[in-house]
Amino acid sequence: MASHRRPSSSGLDRTKRVTVLSAAAASAAAALSAVPAGARPEDPPSDAVSARGAVDRLYAQAERATELFNAAEERSRRLTEEVDLLRDRAARGQERVNAIRNALGGLAGAQYRSGGLDPAIALVLSESPDGYLDKASALERIGQRHAERLRSLRTALRSLRQQRTEAAGKLVELSDSRKAVAHHKKTVQRKLATARRLLNALSPEERARFARASRHGRRADGGFLPGFEDMAAASPRAAAALAAARQAVGLPYAWGAAGPSAFDCSGLTQWAYGAAGVAIPRTSQAQRYAGRSVPLSQAQPGDLVVYRSDASHVGMYAGNGQVIHAPYPGAAVRYDPVGMMPISSVTRP
């Protein structure tokens, strides 16, 4: 696809862009290196600075659990659809079995009324068709029409048993997936409750300082930083997705939510691309592979920026070294520096 980026005669625009991205990533790495190596996520903080760090870690752990919850929830939804489909097929299969049995029963009744019942038909109505058909001598005692009906019945019964077995297996998987959903939900709730307790213990000034800590990318009057409108998206669909994400700025974070009035990180990017007519997976881990990987230095508006080694956070590149993302509970969808935390990959859907 042809690029819509403005041509540069000297290449300085790209150099400047790479510098902005690299500097932002380096500053984030330096900030993260200040976390004490031996600190546990829920150790009681000794002061306001360590309390803010503990809250950050708790939010990161809650986000990882949220993405696990999203994956389990998505799997439960898919398994529920598969179980419903198998049950529907089994019901149709049972109807076919009943119809064939009724046909054979009607034939037996007609023979009985005419003065006798073919022993072969009597066996069909009293024994398993599988066992009966395995007796080669039995096939010699019935006509071709009877044999075809028996074969159809045997095929229908085998298919019905297979569908019921498969449905039973899917139900076990569904039960396990629902247990995983409940487990991850409890983990998220526990982490967030601990974070809230730590935040509530801070003074109003410290809470305000935490809320402002990474809020960059917009001027006081709410406008974009210079350069946002000038950068071309990677494609028309990326431009449409970015436009949707921009409309979501200011809406609240809610874990497990995928719009249109609240979002978690992967829910925002999935919703934005869905608004552009592009289906991408639900979780940040899956979104990492939902397109072509590109170097950070070549990021274009609309690209997905995936964070941390476990790909537990995702945002959308908005240009000028900024991303739009849903950061954490209590914070609205917003712009932040692309290097706000370690970057795992950049994906172009």
Side-chain angles (χ1 to χ4, degrees), residues 10 18 29 40 54 56 106 209 216 218 226 268 279 285 309 314 348:
S10 63
V18 172
R40 293 180 302 172
D56 278 335
R209 186 174 291 111
H216 306 297
R218 297 190 72 126
L268 171 64
Q285 289 86 357
S309 59
V314 63
R348 184 165 297 160

Side-chain angles (χ1 to χ4, degrees), residues 15 30 37 39 41 43 63 88 98 108 117 126 134 152-153 156-157 159-160 164 200 228 248 282 295 309 311 320 327:
T15 302
D43 280 343
E63 190 162 43
D88 185 59
N98 293 342
L117 179 62
S126 62
D134 286 339
S152 296
L153 181 58
L157 284 170
S159 177
L160 181 59
R164 285 175 172 170
N200 290 339
F228 266 88
R282 175 64 179 91
S309 59
N320 200 35

Side-chain angles (χ1 to χ4, degrees), residues 60-72 74 253 256-258 264-271 280-291 304-316 325-327 341-342 344-347 349:
Q61 291 162 12
E63 190 162 43
R64 293 183 183 102
T66 295
E67 289 305 296
L68 291 172
F69 169 88
N70 289 337
E74 182 73 7
Y253 178 102
D264 61 21
C265 68
S266 57
L268 171 64
T269 48
Q270 184 192 51
W271 174 84
I280 63 174
R282 175 64 179 91
T283 67
S284 56
Q285 289 86 357
Q287 289 178 14
R288 179 179 188 174
Y289 303 106
L304 302 177
V305 183
V306 183
Y307 293 92
R308 306 190 188 107
S309 59
D310 58 0
S312 57
H313 187 76
V314 63
M316 182 178 295
H325 70 135
M341 64 182 80
S344 174
S345 62
V346 179
T347 299

